[in-house]
């Protein structure tokens, strides 16, 4: 049975939460496979808004099972908070399972995240301070604590006794004055482990049997291709692999199941955090995009997002490194009311045309955009857009359709879903 992978194609915040919620309607299982509480997925149900960091976006649908795979790093206190808050809002959250192999974010990871960011100066990515870099450092360095350790008090205590003194020395060497208390950390985290234990299973084995029974699986990417540790704007991205192939590693399924690979792209570009951004805008158009965007402010950090025109150089690379088979284009409504809409088709650097996204941040920062201009489309209210969505693609204003068709021709993949508002109804699916 083929599975769908939905991944971000830009710098995260493409509207994946909404698209995944839309697709989850037809999925039996939703799986997170990378990232951690640095992610922020916004889902709207009726008038209610939910912002999830660790919970998979299918958790509000009772018949959908939600897995947190081994590739995710879990901050247990944050996950429990999300579970509790979602329960208080009337959802029982019985449809959740967590991989026994997922790594755990510990308090010293967050301390080290802040210290490392400070010491890095201009190399700092402007992280979410969720301890993401340090927890992945520990995973690769084999200092990590996994969910199977968190729910096993004896192992947890033994590991903390070995690891905490090392982290204390690191904190001091980095100039930090925080004092770690291994016993206090043990007590707090063993309690988290006890509460989370009923959810912890071998998710890879569970998925294998679901696939064999013909269940429809949806893999939910977090962040985006250009934040990927391997393919992103290194060192200004995140510490996990954010591309479609990571679903295989981060959930423990064979790559042959990943046949339907949907990239989510916003009709413009945004990013939170540092790093070169060739199509970045300032001034009234940037304000328009930020404010109409329903508040382009980081879901996790509330920082104002940097915004710019859609960048097809970035997106062409995303098509390639993910093997995208289709695109979901979001927030087309946000461009409404602008006289002119632009799409970057190439870069210019030193009098040369640059068609491939550079690896070097020095070279990327020298790249200026080459734009194709489009006539804009009128601004409609949310209700108008829902009316258009109900009538389907052909009801979109002609100028909008031209813009979408141009993106399809440049990327050589179909735009399968168009989103024109936050709600489930403001979605045109094919
Ligand atoms: P970290 O993942 O917290 O280490 O942050 C590394 C970089 O990725 C920073 O520039 C963050 O702003 C950015 N980042 C991480 N997660 C997300 C996300 O879910 N959406 C948007 N940006 C993100
Ligand atoms: Mg987000």
């Amino acid at each position: 049975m083929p599975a769908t992978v939905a991944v971000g194609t830009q710098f995260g915040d493409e509207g994946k939460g909404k698209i995944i919620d839309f697709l989850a309607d037809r999925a039996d299982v939703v799986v997170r496979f990378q990232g951690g509480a640095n992610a922020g997925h916004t889902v709207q149900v009726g008038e209610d808004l939910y912002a999830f960091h660790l919970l998979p976006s299918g958790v509000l649908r009772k018949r959908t099972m939600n897995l947190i795979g081994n590739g995710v790093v879990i901050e247990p206190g944050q996950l429990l908070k999300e579970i509790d808050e979602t329960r208080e809002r009337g959802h029982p959250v019985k449809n959740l399972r967590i991989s026994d192999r997922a790594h755990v974010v510990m308090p010293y990871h967050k301390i080290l995240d802040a210290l490392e960011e400070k010491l890095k100066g201009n190399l700092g990515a402007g992280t979410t301070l969720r301890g993401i870099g340090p927890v992945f450092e520990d995973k690769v360095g084999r200092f990590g604590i996994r969910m199977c350790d968190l729910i096993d008090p004896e192992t947890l205590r033994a590991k903390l006794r070995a690891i905490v003194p090392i982290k204390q020395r690191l904190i001091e060497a980095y100039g930090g004055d925080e004092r770690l208390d291994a016993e206090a950390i043990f007590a707090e985290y063993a309690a988290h482990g006890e509460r989370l234990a009923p959810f912890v299973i071998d998710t890879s084995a569970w998925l294998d049997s679901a696939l064999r029974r013909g269940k429809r699986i949806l893999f939910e990417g977090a962040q985006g291709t250009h934040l990927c540790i391997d393919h992103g704007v290194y060192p200004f991205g995140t510490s996990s692999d954010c591309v479609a192939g990571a679903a295989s590693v981060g959930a423990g399924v064979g790559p042959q199941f990943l046949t339907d690979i949907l990239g989510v792209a916003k009709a413009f570009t945004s990013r939170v955090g540092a790093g070169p951004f060739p199509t970045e805008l300032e001034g009234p158009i940037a304000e328009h995009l930020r404010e109409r965007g329903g508040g382009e402010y980081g879901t996790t950090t509330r920082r104002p997002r940097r915004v710019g025109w859609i960048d097809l150089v970035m997106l062409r690379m995303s098509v390639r490194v993910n093997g995208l088979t289709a695109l979901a284009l979001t927030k087309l409504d946000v461009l409404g009311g602008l006289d002119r809409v632009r799409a970057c088709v190439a870069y210019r650097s030193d009098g040369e045309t640059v068609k491939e996204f550079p690896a070097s941040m020095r070279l990327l920062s020298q790249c200026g955009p080459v734009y194709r201009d489009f006539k804009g489309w009128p601004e409609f209210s949310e209700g108008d857009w829902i009316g258009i969505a109900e009538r389907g693609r052909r009801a979109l204003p002609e100028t909008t359709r031209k813009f979408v068709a141009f993106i399809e021709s440049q990327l050589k993949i179909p735009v399968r879903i168009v989103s024109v508002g936050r709600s489930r109804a403001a979605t045109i699916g094919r």
Side-chain angles (χ1 to χ4, degrees):
M1 190 68 193
T4 298
V5 191
V7 289
T9 58
Q10 295 158 322
F11 296 118
D13 307 313
E14 299 92 351
K16 291 182 296 296
K18 185 208 141 145
I19 297 299
I20 283 152
D21 177 66
F22 177 74
L23 297 171
D25 195 28
R26 280 165 288 171
D28 302 304
V29 188
V30 177
V31 190
R32 277 278 308 263
F33 56 89
Q34 45 76 227
N38 50 348
H41 289 175
T42 309
V43 178
Q44 176 162 349
V45 184
E47 293 297 294
D48 295 334
L49 270 188
Y50 294 80
F52 296 133
H53 302 284
L54 282 164
L55 283 178
S57 297
V59 80
L60 302 176
R61 297 179 186 265
K62 276 198 194 64
R63 283 189 306 274
T64 309
M65 179 54 92
N66 291 269
L67 305 185
I68 300 181
N70 55 277
V72 178
V73 290
I74 296 174
E75 189 183 327
Q78 170 65 30
L79 178 57
L80 285 163
K81 182 167 160 251
E82 283 178 47
I83 293 171
D84 290 340
E85 284 172 3
T86 308
R87 281 183 175 157
E88 276 162 29
R89 296 173 71 176
H91 303 273
V93 196
K94 288 183 180 152
N95 51 349
L96 174 71
R97 300 290 180 272
I98 304 166
S99 168
D100 49 9
R101 288 173 171 79
H103 279 250
V104 180
V105 179
M106 302 300 292
Y108 43 81
H109 293 135
K110 292 175 124 181
I111 295 169
L112 288 166
D113 194 351
L115 288 169
E116 287 178 5
E117 274 285 289
K118 207 157 70 190
L119 289 170
K120 277 179 170 178
N122 286 340
L123 292 179
T127 75
T128 60
L129 301 176
R130 297 290 194 144
I132 302 298
V135 73
F136 279 108
E137 289 164 29
D138 274 6
K139 177 176 180 175
V140 176
R142 289 164 285 149
F143 285 106
I145 289 173
R146 300 189 297 169
M147 286 305 294
C148 57
D149 308 321
L150 188 77
I151 63 174
D152 169 2
E154 214 175 300
T155 307
L156 180 63
R157 179 177 257 142
K159 282 203 164 186
L160 285 172
R161 280 190 180 152
I163 293 167
V164 167
I166 301 169
K167 298 299 170 188
Q168 185 66 63
R169 285 163 72 178
L170 258 184
I171 289 171
E172 282 158 23
Y174 283 174
D177 51 17
E178 293 83 353
R179 306 264 0 134
L180 301 176
D181 176 343
E183 270 311 304
I185 297 173
F186 168 74
E188 185 185 352
Y189 280 70
H192 289 333
E194 200 178 325
R195 281 199 66 201
L196 289 172
F199 297 105
V200 177
I201 62 166
D202 181 337
T203 45
S204 164
W206 192 97
L207 259 181
D208 185 59
S209 99
L211 281 162
R212 279 172 208 287
R213 282 179 286 131
K215 299 289 182 196
R216 287 159 307 178
I217 319 284
L218 173 62
F219 292 94
E220 170 178 23
Q223 286 83 46
T225 302
H226 290 275
L227 292 178
C228 176
I229 186 72
D230 275 278
H231 301 287
V233 286
Y234 192 91
F236 301 115
T238 189
S239 296
S240 64
D241 265 296
C242 307
V243 293
S248 174
V249 183
V253 298
Q256 73 273 26
F257 293 111
L258 315 176
T259 49
D260 178 30
I261 303 176
L262 181 71
V264 185
K266 191 148 66 178
F268 53 98
T269 313
S270 75
R271 91 149 294 176
V272 280
F277 181 170
T279 64
E280 184 165 16
L281 291 167
E282 272 163 43
I285 297 174
E287 278 311 304
H288 175 106
L289 297 176
R290 207 161 13 241
E291 298 312 319
R292 295 315 144 84
E296 285 285 345
Y297 297 93
T299 311
T300 303
T301 56
R302 307 311 308 162
R303 289 176 288 179
R305 292 178 185 154
R306 301 159 64 197
V307 292
W309 297 115
I310 194 167
D311 182 342
L312 299 173
V313 182
M314 282 178 73
L315 292 184
R316 278 197 298 264
M317 173 169 167
S318 298
V319 172
R320 169 164 49 85
V321 296
N322 291 290
L324 298 185
T325 54
L327 205 70
L329 192 64
T330 65
K331 297 211 178 186
L332 261 180
D333 55 309
V334 173
L335 296 179
L338 295 170
D339 297 332
R340 181 187 64 178
V341 170
R342 314 187 94 176
C344 170
V345 291
Y347 302 144
R348 289 292 286 177
S349 177
D350 239 352
E352 305 271 340
T353 301
V354 178
K355 287 195 166 156
E356 299 295 346
F357 198 82
S360 153
M361 290 303 104
R362 190 176 63 76
L363 295 182
L364 181 63
S365 64
Q366 289 166 2
C367 286
V370 178
Y371 285 123
R372 170 74 74 99
D373 289 351
F374 295 84
K375 193 164 180 289
W377 44 91
E379 184 159 25
F380 299 114
S381 66
E382 170 94 9
D384 296 326
W385 280 114
I386 291 175
I388 289 170
E390 275 163 3
R391 283 177 283 134
R393 270 286 262 283
R394 259 165 297 174
L396 283 171
E398 198 200 337
T399 44
T400 321
R401 279 188 280 125
K402 277 196 173 146
F403 184 68
V404 175
F406 181 74
I407 292 170
E408 288 181 321
S409 73
Q410 285 278 306
L411 301 184
K412 302 187 174 68
I413 55 169
V415 172
R416 196 200 289 160
I417 298 171
V418 173
S419 169
V420 289
R422 264 224 163 115
S423 66
R424 284 178 184 170
T427 318
I428 306 170
R430 262 201 190 150

